[in-house]
Amino acid sequence: MKLVLENNQIVDVESGKNGKDLLAFFPEMTAKPLAYAINDELYDLLEPIAHEGAFRFITEEDPKALDLLRHSSSHLLAEAIQHLYPGVRFG
């Protein structure tokens, strides 16, 4: 499948590859990516790339990084509450 990088380069990606695998296309990248986006939809770095589109890495400088942090933190907090209070249900 074809991905369009931020520099408008088009890369052909094999099925089963994930965001971390695409780091090879960005040797100059100095910031550590937190996730990747295809057509502005966020994905975990280890999630396989499922469709074609505009690809970019999300780093801590990205405006979407705060949303990503909040989302991940809410899952972590929910897991901690479930550990402390087995059987608790979330609305």
Side-chain angles (χ1 to χ4, degrees):
M1 72 191 88
K2 296 187 186 321
L3 297 176
V4 181
L5 306 181
E6 287 183 284
N7 63 3
N8 290 323
Q9 177 185 0
I10 297 175
V11 294
D12 205 8
V13 179
E14 296 174 27
S15 179
K17 296 288 185 183
N18 60 37
K20 199 168 183 179
D21 295 327
L22 265 70
L23 282 171
F25 290 101
F26 298 87
E28 74 287 349
M29 185 175 221
T30 56
K32 183 178 175 187
L34 306 171
Y36 71 88
I38 296 179
N39 300 332
D40 287 328
E41 188 174 337
L42 297 178
Y43 297 94
D44 183 273
L45 281 175
L46 297 177
E47 189 168 338
I49 295 169
H51 57 86
E52 297 182 330
F55 178 93
R56 68 186 179 96
F57 283 110
I58 305 298
T59 64
E60 62 185 28
E61 294 88 22
D62 193 289
K64 290 196 178 255
L66 185 56
D67 291 337
L68 182 66
L69 177 62
R70 287 176 176 156
H71 180 86
S72 296
S73 298
S74 68
H75 283 280
L76 183 61
L77 181 59
E79 193 171 322
I81 291 171
Q82 286 176 328
H83 179 74
L84 290 172
Y85 304 100
V88 70
R89 301 176 88 182
F90 298 100

